[in-house]
Coordinates of all heavy atoms in Angstrom, one line a residue:
M727 N 0.3 12.0 17.8 CA -0.5 10.8 17.6 C -1.7 11.2 16.7 O -2.3 12.2 16.9 CB -1.0 10.2 18.9 CG -1.6 8.9 18.8 SD -1.7 8.1 20.4 CE -3.4 8.0 20.6
V728 N -2.0 10.4 15.7 CA -3.1 10.6 14.8 C -4.4 10.1 15.3 O -4.4 9.0 15.9 CB -2.8 10.0 13.4 CG1 -3.9 10.2 12.5 CG2 -1.5 10.6 12.9
D729 N -5.4 10.8 15.2 CA -6.8 10.4 15.6 C -7.3 9.5 14.5 O -7.7 10.0 13.5 CB -7.7 11.6 15.9 CG -9.0 11.2 16.4 OD1 -9.3 9.9 16.5 OD2 -9.9 12.1 16.6
N730 N -7.3 8.2 14.7 CA -7.7 7.3 13.7 C -9.2 7.5 13.3 O -9.6 7.3 12.1 CB -7.5 5.8 14.1 CG -6.1 5.5 14.1 OD1 -5.3 6.1 13.3 ND2 -5.7 4.5 14.9
E731 N -10.1 7.8 14.2 CA -11.5 8.0 13.9 C -11.6 9.2 13.0 O -12.4 9.2 12.0 CB -12.3 8.2 15.2 CG -12.5 6.9 15.9 CD -13.5 7.1 17.1 OE1 -14.3 8.0 17.0 OE2 -13.3 6.4 18.1
L732 N -10.9 10.2 13.2 CA -10.9 11.4 12.4 C -10.4 11.1 11.0 O -11.0 11.5 10.0 CB -10.1 12.6 13.0 CG -10.1 13.9 12.2 CD1 -11.5 14.4 12.1 CD2 -9.2 14.9 12.9
E733 N -9.3 10.4 10.9 CA -8.7 10.0 9.6 C -9.7 9.2 8.8 O -9.8 9.4 7.6 CB -7.4 9.2 9.8 CG -6.3 10.0 10.2 CD -5.8 11.0 9.2 OE1 -5.8 10.7 8.0 OE2 -5.6 12.2 9.6
H734 N -10.4 8.2 9.4 CA -11.3 7.4 8.7 C -12.6 8.1 8.3 O -13.3 7.7 7.3 CB -11.7 6.2 9.5 CG -10.6 5.2 9.7 ND1 -10.0 4.6 8.6 CD2 -9.9 4.8 10.8 CE1 -9.0 3.8 9.1 NE2 -8.9 4.0 10.4
S735 N -12.9 9.2 8.9 CA -14.1 9.9 8.6 C -14.0 10.8 7.4 O -14.9 11.2 6.8 CB -14.6 10.8 9.8 OG -13.7 11.8 10.1
R736 N -12.7 11.2 7.1 CA -12.5 12.0 5.9 C -12.3 11.2 4.7 O -11.6 10.2 4.7 CB -11.2 12.8 6.1 CG -11.4 14.0 6.9 CD -10.1 14.9 6.9 NE -9.4 14.6 8.1 CZ -8.1 14.7 8.3 NH1 -7.3 15.0 7.3 NH2 -7.5 14.4 9.5
P737 N -13.0 11.5 3.6 CA -12.8 10.8 2.3 C -11.4 11.0 1.8 O -10.9 12.2 1.9 CB -13.9 11.3 1.4 CG -14.3 12.6 2.0 CD -14.0 12.6 3.5
L738 N -10.8 10.0 1.3 CA -9.5 10.2 0.7 C -9.5 10.6 -0.7 O -10.4 10.1 -1.5 CB -8.7 8.9 0.8 CG -8.3 8.4 2.2 CD1 -7.7 7.0 2.2 CD2 -7.3 9.4 2.8
D739 N -8.6 11.5 -1.1 CA -8.5 11.9 -2.5 C -7.8 10.9 -3.3 O -6.7 10.5 -3.0 CB -7.8 13.3 -2.5 CG -7.6 13.8 -3.9 OD1 -8.0 13.2 -4.9 OD2 -7.0 14.9 -4.0
P740 N -8.4 10.3 -4.4 CA -7.8 9.3 -5.1 C -6.5 9.7 -5.8 O -5.7 8.9 -6.3 CB -8.8 8.9 -6.2 CG -10.0 9.7 -5.9 CD -9.7 10.6 -4.8
N741 N -6.2 11.0 -5.8 CA -5.0 11.5 -6.5 C -3.8 11.6 -5.5 O -2.7 11.9 -5.9 CB -5.2 12.8 -7.1 CG -6.3 12.7 -8.2 OD1 -6.2 11.8 -9.0 ND2 -7.2 13.6 -8.2
T742 N -4.0 11.2 -4.2 CA -2.9 11.3 -3.3 C -2.1 10.0 -3.2 O -2.6 8.9 -3.5 CB -3.5 11.7 -1.9 OG1 -4.3 10.6 -1.4 CG2 -4.2 12.9 -1.9
L743 N -0.9 10.2 -2.7 CA 0.0 9.0 -2.5 C -0.6 8.1 -1.5 O -0.5 6.9 -1.6 CB 1.4 9.5 -2.2 CG 2.5 8.4 -2.0 CD1 2.6 7.6 -3.3 CD2 3.8 9.1 -1.6
N744 N -1.1 8.6 -0.4 CA -1.7 7.8 0.6 C -2.8 6.9 0.1 O -2.9 5.8 0.5 CB -2.2 8.6 1.8 CG -1.1 9.0 2.7 OD1 0.0 8.5 2.7 ND2 -1.3 10.0 3.5
Y745 N -3.7 7.5 -0.7 CA -4.8 6.7 -1.3 C -4.2 5.6 -2.2 O -4.7 4.4 -2.0 CB -5.7 7.6 -2.1 CG -6.8 6.9 -2.8 CD1 -8.0 6.7 -2.1 CD2 -6.7 6.4 -4.1 CE1 -9.1 6.1 -2.7 CE2 -7.8 5.8 -4.7 CZ -8.9 5.6 -4.0 OH -10.0 4.9 -4.6
R746 N -3.3 5.9 -3.0 CA -2.7 4.8 -3.9 C -2.0 3.7 -3.0 O -2.2 2.6 -3.3 CB -1.7 5.5 -4.9 CG -2.4 6.3 -5.9 CD -1.5 6.8 -7.0 NE -0.4 7.6 -6.4 CZ -0.2 8.9 -6.6 NH1 -1.0 9.5 -7.4 NH2 0.8 9.5 -6.1
R747 N -1.3 4.1 -2.0 CA -0.7 3.1 -1.1 C -1.8 2.3 -0.4 O -1.6 1.1 -0.3 CB 0.2 3.8 -0.1 CG 1.5 4.3 -0.6 CD 2.3 5.0 0.4 NE 3.6 5.5 -0.1 CZ 4.3 6.3 0.5 NH1 4.0 6.8 1.7 NH2 5.5 6.7 0.0
L748 N -2.8 2.9 0.1 CA -3.9 2.1 0.7 C -4.5 1.1 -0.3 O -4.8 0.0 0.1 CB -5.0 3.1 1.2 CG -4.7 3.8 2.5 CD1 -5.8 4.8 2.8 CD2 -4.5 2.8 3.7
K749 N -4.7 1.5 -1.5 CA -5.3 0.6 -2.5 C -4.3 -0.6 -2.8 O -4.7 -1.7 -2.9 CB -5.6 1.3 -3.8 CG -6.8 2.2 -3.7 CD -8.0 1.4 -3.4 CE -9.2 2.2 -2.9 NZ -10.3 1.4 -2.4
M750 N -3.0 -0.3 -2.8 CA -2.0 -1.3 -3.0 C -2.1 -2.3 -1.8 O -2.1 -3.5 -2.0 CB -0.6 -0.7 -3.1 CG -0.3 0.0 -4.3 SD 1.4 0.5 -4.3 CE 1.3 2.2 -4.8
L751 N -2.2 -1.8 -0.6 CA -2.2 -2.6 0.6 C -3.5 -3.5 0.6 O -3.5 -4.6 1.0 CB -2.1 -1.8 1.8 CG -0.7 -1.2 2.1 CD1 -0.8 -0.2 3.2 CD2 0.3 -2.3 2.4
E752 N -4.6 -2.9 0.1 CA -5.9 -3.7 0.0 C -5.7 -4.8 -0.9 O -6.2 -5.9 -0.6 CB -7.0 -2.8 -0.4 CG -7.5 -1.8 0.7 CD -8.6 -0.8 0.2 OE1 -9.0 -0.9 -1.0 OE2 -8.9 0.0 1.0
R753 N -5.1 -4.6 -2.1 CA -4.9 -5.7 -3.1 C -4.0 -6.8 -2.5 O -4.3 -8.0 -2.6 CB -4.4 -5.2 -4.4 CG -5.4 -4.4 -5.2 CD -4.8 -4.1 -6.6 NE -3.7 -3.2 -6.6 CZ -3.9 -1.8 -6.7 NH1 -5.1 -1.3 -6.9 NH2 -2.9 -1.0 -6.7
I754 N -3.0 -6.4 -1.8 CA -2.0 -7.3 -1.2 C -2.7 -8.1 -0.1 O -2.6 -9.3 0.0 CB -0.8 -6.6 -0.6 CG1 0.0 -6.0 -1.8 CG2 0.1 -7.5 0.2 CD1 1.0 -4.9 -1.3
R755 N -3.5 -7.4 0.7 CA -4.2 -8.1 1.8 C -5.2 -9.1 1.3 O -5.3 -10.2 1.8 CB -4.9 -7.1 2.7 CG -5.8 -7.8 3.7 CD -6.7 -6.8 4.4 NE -6.3 -6.7 5.8 CZ -6.8 -5.9 6.7 NH1 -7.7 -5.0 6.3 NH2 -6.4 -5.9 7.9
Y756 N -5.9 -8.8 0.2 CA -6.9 -9.7 -0.4 C -6.2 -10.9 -0.9 O -6.6 -12.0 -0.7 CB -7.6 -9.0 -1.6 CG -8.5 -9.9 -2.3 CD1 -9.8 -10.1 -1.8 CD2 -8.1 -10.4 -3.5 CE1 -10.6 -11.0 -2.5 CE2 -9.0 -11.3 -4.2 CZ -10.3 -11.6 -3.7 OH -11.1 -12.4 -4.4
A757 N -5.0 -10.8 -1.6 CA -4.3 -11.9 -2.1 C -3.8 -12.8 -0.9 O -3.9 -14.0 -1.0 CB -3.1 -11.4 -2.9
V758 N -3.3 -12.2 0.1 CA -2.8 -12.9 1.3 C -3.9 -13.7 1.9 O -3.8 -14.8 2.3 CB -2.1 -12.0 2.3 CG1 -1.8 -12.7 3.6 CG2 -0.8 -11.5 1.6
D759 N -5.1 -13.0 2.1 CA -6.2 -13.6 2.7 C -6.7 -14.8 1.9 O -7.2 -15.8 2.5 CB -7.4 -12.6 2.9 CG -7.1 -11.6 4.0 OD1 -6.2 -11.8 4.8 OD2 -7.9 -10.6 4.0
K760 N -6.6 -14.7 0.6 CA -7.1 -15.9 -0.2 C -6.0 -16.9 -0.4 O -6.2 -17.9 -1.0 CB -7.4 -15.3 -1.6 CG -8.7 -14.5 -1.6 CD -9.9 -15.3 -1.3 CE -11.1 -14.4 -1.3 NZ -12.3 -15.1 -0.9
G761 N -4.8 -16.7 0.2 CA -3.7 -17.6 0.2 C -3.1 -17.8 -1.2 O -2.4 -18.7 -1.5
F762 N -3.3 -16.8 -2.0 CA -2.7 -16.7 -3.4 C -3.2 -17.8 -4.3 O -2.8 -17.9 -5.4 CB -1.1 -16.7 -3.3 CG -0.6 -15.5 -2.7 CD1 -0.2 -15.5 -1.4 CD2 -0.4 -14.3 -3.5 CE1 0.4 -14.3 -0.8 CE2 0.1 -13.2 -2.9 CZ 0.5 -13.2 -1.6
V763 N -4.0 -18.8 -3.8 CA -4.4 -19.9 -4.6 C -5.5 -19.6 -5.5 O -5.5 -19.9 -6.7 CB -4.8 -21.1 -3.6 CG1 -5.4 -22.2 -4.4 CG2 -3.7 -21.5 -2.8
N764 N -6.5 -18.9 -5.1 CA -7.7 -18.5 -5.9 C -7.6 -17.1 -6.5 O -8.6 -16.5 -6.8 CB -8.9 -18.6 -5.0 CG -9.1 -20.0 -4.5 OD1 -8.9 -21.0 -5.2 ND2 -9.5 -20.1 -3.2
I765 N -6.4 -16.7 -6.7 CA -6.2 -15.3 -7.3 C -5.8 -15.5 -8.8 O -5.0 -16.3 -9.1 CB -5.1 -14.6 -6.5 CG1 -5.4 -14.6 -5.0 CG2 -4.9 -13.2 -7.0 CD1 -6.6 -13.9 -4.6
S766 N -6.4 -14.7 -9.6 CA -6.1 -14.7 -11.0 C -4.7 -14.2 -11.3 O -4.1 -13.4 -10.5 CB -7.1 -13.9 -11.8 OG -6.9 -12.5 -11.5
D767 N -4.1 -14.7 -12.4 CA -2.7 -14.3 -12.7 C -2.6 -12.7 -12.9 O -1.6 -12.2 -12.4 CB -2.2 -15.0 -14.0 CG -1.9 -16.4 -13.7 OD1 -1.7 -16.8 -12.6 OD2 -1.8 -17.2 -14.7
P768 N -3.5 -12.1 -13.6 CA -3.4 -10.6 -13.7 C -3.4 -9.9 -12.3 O -2.7 -9.0 -12.1 CB -4.6 -10.2 -14.5 CG -5.0 -11.4 -15.3 CD -4.6 -12.6 -14.4
H769 N -4.2 -10.4 -11.4 CA -4.3 -9.9 -10.0 C -2.9 -10.1 -9.3 O -2.4 -9.2 -8.6 CB -5.4 -10.4 -9.2 CG -5.6 -9.7 -7.9 ND1 -6.2 -8.5 -7.8 CD2 -5.3 -10.1 -6.7 CE1 -6.3 -8.1 -6.6 NE2 -5.7 -9.1 -5.8
L770 N -2.4 -11.3 -9.4 CA -1.1 -11.6 -8.8 C 0.0 -10.7 -9.4 O 0.9 -10.2 -8.6 CB -0.7 -13.0 -9.0 CG -1.4 -14.0 -8.0 CD1 -1.0 -15.4 -8.4 CD2 -1.0 -13.7 -6.6
T771 N 0.0 -10.4 -10.7 CA 1.0 -9.5 -11.3 C 0.8 -8.2 -10.7 O 1.9 -7.5 -10.4 CB 0.8 -9.5 -12.8 OG1 0.9 -10.8 -13.3 CG2 1.7 -8.5 -13.5
K772 N -0.4 -7.7 -10.5 CA -0.6 -6.4 -9.9 C -0.1 -6.3 -8.4 O 0.5 -5.4 -8.0 CB -2.1 -6.0 -10.0 CG -2.4 -4.6 -9.5 CD -1.8 -3.6 -10.4 CE -2.2 -2.2 -9.9 NZ -1.3 -1.2 -10.4
V773 N -0.3 -7.4 -7.7 CA 0.1 -7.5 -6.3 C 1.6 -7.5 -6.3 O 2.2 -6.8 -5.4 CB -0.5 -8.8 -5.6 CG1 0.2 -9.1 -4.3 CG2 -1.9 -8.6 -5.4
R774 N 2.3 -8.2 -7.2 CA 3.8 -8.2 -7.2 C 4.3 -6.7 -7.5 O 5.2 -6.3 -6.8 CB 4.3 -9.1 -8.3 CG 4.3 -10.5 -7.9 CD 5.0 -11.4 -8.9 NE 4.4 -12.7 -8.9 CZ 3.6 -13.2 -9.8 NH1 3.3 -12.5 -10.9 NH2 3.1 -14.4 -9.7
T775 N 3.6 -6.1 -8.4 CA 4.0 -4.7 -8.7 C 3.8 -3.8 -7.5 O 4.6 -2.9 -7.1 CB 3.2 -4.1 -9.9 OG1 3.4 -5.0 -11.0 CG2 3.6 -2.7 -10.2
D776 N 2.6 -4.0 -6.8 CA 2.3 -3.2 -5.6 C 3.4 -3.4 -4.5 O 3.9 -2.5 -3.9 CB 1.0 -3.6 -5.0 CG -0.2 -3.2 -5.9 OD1 0.0 -2.3 -6.7 OD2 -1.3 -3.8 -5.7
L777 N 3.8 -4.7 -4.3 CA 4.8 -5.0 -3.3 C 6.1 -4.3 -3.6 O 6.8 -3.7 -2.8 CB 5.0 -6.5 -3.1 CG 3.9 -7.2 -2.4 CD1 4.1 -8.7 -2.6 CD2 4.0 -6.9 -0.9
K778 N 6.5 -4.4 -4.9 CA 7.8 -3.8 -5.3 C 7.7 -2.2 -5.1 O 8.6 -1.6 -4.6 CB 8.0 -4.1 -6.8 CG 9.3 -3.5 -7.3 CD 9.6 -3.9 -8.7 CE 10.9 -3.3 -9.2 NZ 11.2 -3.5 -10.5
T779 N 6.6 -1.6 -5.5 CA 6.4 -0.2 -5.4 C 6.5 0.2 -3.9 O 7.1 1.2 -3.6 CB 5.1 0.3 -6.0 OG1 5.1 -0.1 -7.4 CG2 4.9 1.8 -5.9
L780 N 5.8 -0.5 -3.1 CA 5.7 -0.1 -1.6 C 7.1 -0.3 -1.0 O 7.5 0.6 -0.2 CB 4.7 -1.0 -0.9 CG 3.3 -0.6 -1.1 CD1 2.4 -1.7 -0.5 CD2 2.9 0.7 -0.6
L781 N 7.8 -1.3 -1.4 CA 9.2 -1.5 -0.8 C 10.1 -0.4 -1.3 O 10.9 0.1 -0.5 CB 9.7 -2.9 -1.2 CG 9.1 -4.0 -0.5 CD1 9.6 -5.4 -1.1 CD2 9.4 -4.0 1.0
E782 N 10.0 0.0 -2.6 CA 10.8 1.1 -3.1 C 10.4 2.4 -2.4 O 11.3 3.2 -2.0 CB 10.6 1.3 -4.6 CG 11.3 0.2 -5.4 CD 10.9 0.2 -6.9 OE1 10.0 0.9 -7.3 OE2 11.5 -0.6 -7.6
D783 N 9.1 2.6 -2.1 CA 8.7 3.8 -1.4 C 9.3 3.9 0.0 O 9.8 4.9 0.5 CB 7.2 3.9 -1.2 CG 6.5 4.3 -2.5 OD1 7.2 4.7 -3.5 OD2 5.2 4.2 -2.6
I784 N 9.3 2.7 0.7 CA 9.9 2.6 2.1 C 11.4 2.9 2.0 O 11.9 3.6 2.8 CB 9.6 1.2 2.7 CG1 8.1 1.1 3.0 CG2 10.4 1.0 3.9 CD1 7.6 -0.3 3.3
E785 N 12.0 2.3 1.0 CA 13.5 2.6 0.9 C 13.8 4.0 0.7 O 14.7 4.6 1.3 CB 14.0 1.7 -0.2 CG 15.5 1.9 -0.4 CD 16.1 1.0 -1.5 OE1 15.3 0.4 -2.2 OE2 17.3 1.0 -1.7
T786 N 13.0 4.7 -0.2 CA 13.2 6.1 -0.4 C 13.0 6.9 0.8 O 13.7 7.8 1.1 CB 12.3 6.5 -1.6 OG1 12.5 5.8 -2.7 CG2 12.4 8.0 -1.9
E787 N 11.9 6.6 1.5 CA 11.6 7.3 2.8 C 12.7 7.2 3.8 O 13.1 8.1 4.5 CB 10.3 6.8 3.4 CG 9.0 7.3 2.7 CD 8.8 8.7 2.8 OE1 9.0 9.3 3.9 OE2 8.3 9.3 1.8
M788 N 13.2 6.0 3.9 CA 14.3 5.7 4.9 C 15.6 6.5 4.5 O 16.2 7.1 5.3 CB 14.6 4.2 4.9 CG 13.6 3.5 5.6 SD 13.9 1.7 5.7 CE 15.2 1.6 6.9
V789 N 15.9 6.5 3.2 CA 17.1 7.3 2.7 C 16.8 8.8 3.0 O 17.7 9.5 3.4 CB 17.3 7.0 1.2 CG1 18.3 8.0 0.6 CG2 17.8 5.6 1.0
N790 N 15.6 9.3 2.7 CA 15.3 10.7 2.9 C 15.4 11.1 4.4 O 15.7 12.2 4.7 CB 13.9 11.0 2.4 CG 13.9 11.0 0.8 OD1 14.9 11.1 0.2 ND2 12.7 10.9 0.3
R791 N 15.2 10.1 5.3 CA 15.3 10.4 6.7 C 16.6 10.0 7.3 O 16.8 10.0 8.5 CB 14.2 9.7 7.4 CG 12.8 10.2 7.0 CD 11.7 9.3 7.6 NE 10.4 9.7 7.1 CZ 9.3 9.6 7.8 NH1 9.3 9.2 9.0 NH2 8.2 9.9 7.2
D792 N 17.6 9.8 6.4 CA 18.9 9.4 6.8 C 18.9 8.1 7.7 O 19.7 8.1 8.7 CB 19.7 10.5 7.5 CG 19.9 11.7 6.6 OD1 20.2 11.4 5.4 OD2 19.9 12.8 7.0
M793 N 18.1 7.2 7.4 CA 18.0 6.0 8.2 C 18.8 4.9 7.5 O 18.8 4.8 6.3 CB 16.6 5.5 8.4 CG 15.7 6.5 9.2 SD 14.0 6.1 9.2 CE 14.0 4.7 10.4
K794 N 19.4 4.0 8.2 CA 20.2 2.9 7.7 C 19.2 1.8 7.2 O 18.2 1.5 7.8 CB 21.1 2.3 8.7 CG 22.1 3.3 9.2 CD 23.4 3.3 8.4 CE 24.4 4.2 9.1 NZ 25.4 4.6 8.2
L795 N 19.5 1.2 6.0 CA 18.7 0.1 5.5 C 19.2 -1.2 6.1 O 20.3 -1.4 6.4 CB 18.8 0.1 4.0 CG 18.2 1.3 3.3 CD1 18.4 1.2 1.8 CD2 16.8 1.5 3.6

């Protein structure tokens, strides 16, 4: 089990995959919180790209762990 307090206390390196994934999730969460209505088109395009990238990452991780999709 990961100690969440410890994880949050360490600054994340912007060059890591986890940092990039967290930023993607933040953009997605922002768009969802705003209901996609008040979001600019460029931001929505970025959110769509983020969603696609995260889904591809999940699929790759599942394949690498021999998990069925």
Side-chain angles (χ1 to χ4, degrees):
M727 189 161 114
V728 175
D729 182 1
N730 288 332
E731 286 186 28
L732 180 61
E733 286 296 315
H734 292 296
S735 65
R736 278 189 259 153
L738 291 173
D739 179 359
N741 298 314
T742 64
L743 182 58
N744 280 343
Y745 179 85
R746 291 188 300 249
R747 286 179 177 166
L748 284 172
K749 288 299 167 189
M750 287 185 229
L751 289 170
E752 285 174 6
R753 286 191 292 268
I754 294 165
R755 175 189 246 178
Y756 176 78
V758 169
D759 287 347
K760 293 293 182 182
F762 293 98
V763 175
N764 298 319
I765 306 297
S766 66
D767 286 341
H769 187 78
L770 280 177
T771 300
K772 185 66 179 162
V773 167
R774 282 188 209 105
T775 303
D776 291 343
L777 284 167
K778 183 178 178 185
T779 301
L780 287 171
L781 289 172
E782 288 170 352
D783 285 352
I784 290 167
E785 182 179 4
T786 301
E787 287 291 324
M788 290 178 74
V789 168
N790 289 343
R791 295 174 188 212
D792 294 324
M793 298 172 75
K794 300 268 185 204
L795 299 177

